[in-house]
Amino acid sequence: MKTKICEICNLEETILFRIQITKGKTWIFVCKLCCEKSQKLEFYKYSGTWKGNRH
């Protein structure tokens, strides 16, 4: 199973969410908890889910 690091809290996870939290075109991968916290931000946008269990 593949893993990635959350770009906010630096935890290693097998499922991350692709979001924007600043104005512009910068996308980041974050864990579920950081994604939920970020939903309150003005420029929050969700773009998909990365799963490490794909072959």
Side-chain angles (χ1 to χ4, degrees):
M1 189 166 286
K2 295 179 183 179
T3 61
K4 281 191 180 189
I5 304 293
C6 172
E7 295 183 42
I8 294 177
C9 69
N10 294 316
L11 289 178
E12 190 173 12
E13 299 285 344
T14 57
I15 297 176
L16 292 175
F17 303 91
R18 186 174 183 252
I19 65 169
Q20 275 184 337
I21 55 174
T22 58
K23 191 173 183 178
K25 297 185 179 185
T26 303
W27 293 92
I28 60 173
F29 285 99
V30 299
C31 66
K32 183 176 181 177
L33 183 61
C34 290
C35 183
E36 290 171 353
K37 289 179 181 178
S38 298
Q39 290 175 0
K40 299 173 187 147
L41 298 174
E42 179 182 359
F43 296 109
Y44 171 83
K45 288 184 185 176
Y46 168 80
S47 177
T49 303
W50 178 87
K51 298 175 185 168
N53 62 355
R54 292 185 183 168
H55 300 348

